[in-house]
């Protein structure tokens, strides 16, 4: 029970901090099974206290920033590092992955994810936290006219899409 208890306590601590910073945020819980390698990654990320963050970054028109990730368009996402707060991680992840700066406005939803090892039924469930944030781009969004933009030396592409086309449910 050690892994389950510690990971659950970390999640509860992060949720308490999130509420202090952003007020009440809807919280969902889900449990799923993954292979042994993915389970070990979840255990390590839990030990390190990492939180998964997803960013709905809006431009002045209300469109949402998407980035090209191996041929599919996704909102910027990543994990906290060390003692980094989730909102600070959003700013860092958006800058690193999309080449733009943003201001975090609020937390949209938090999901407690129970991760089970599908190849070892005796392994404890490890708990992770995933948070979806709304943010606003700092400054004007540049666009080359076709909905995409090359970003610095990262060769990443971004585009802006109508917010109604991007579903929160697909993120977690």
């Amino acid at each position: 029970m050690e892994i389950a208890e510690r990971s659950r306590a970390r999640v509860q601590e992060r949720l308490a901090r999130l509420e202090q910073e952003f007020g009440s945020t809807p919280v969902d819980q889900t449990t799923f099974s993954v292979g042994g390698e993915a389970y070990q990654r979840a255990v390590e990320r839990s030990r390190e206290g990492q939180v998964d963050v997803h960013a709905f970054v809006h431009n002045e028109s209300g469109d949402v920033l998407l980035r090209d990730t191996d041929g599919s368009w996704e909102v910027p996402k990543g994990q906290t590092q060390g003692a980094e707060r989730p909102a600070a991680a959003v700013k860092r992840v958006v800058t690193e992955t999309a080449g733009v700066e943003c201001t975090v406005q609020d937390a949209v939803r938090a999901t407690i994810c129970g991760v089970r090892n599908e190849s070892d039924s005796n392994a404890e469930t490890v708990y992770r936290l995933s948070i979806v944030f709304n943010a606003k781009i700092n400054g004007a969004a540049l666009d080359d006219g076709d909905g995409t933009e090359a970003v610095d030396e990262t060769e990443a592409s971004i585009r802006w899409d109508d917010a109604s086309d991007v579903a929160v449910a697909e993120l977690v």
Side-chain angles (χ1 to χ4, degrees), residues 37-53:
E37 194 172 305
Y39 175 80
Q40 288 306 315
R41 278 194 308 273
V43 168
E44 288 305 312
R45 288 178 176 167
S46 174
R47 281 189 186 129
E48 295 169 5
Q50 287 184 332
V51 174
D52 296 319
V53 296

Side-chain angles (χ1 to χ4, degrees), residues 114-144:
V115 183
R116 293 185 180 145
N117 187 340
E118 69 185 8
S119 52
D120 181 359
S121 61
N122 294 322
E124 293 182 67
T125 300
V126 63
Y127 294 95
R128 301 281 324 282
L129 183 61
S130 180
I131 306 171
V132 179
F133 289 93
N134 267 330
K136 184 175 182 181
I137 189 168
N138 295 345
L142 302 174
D143 190 337
D144 64 9

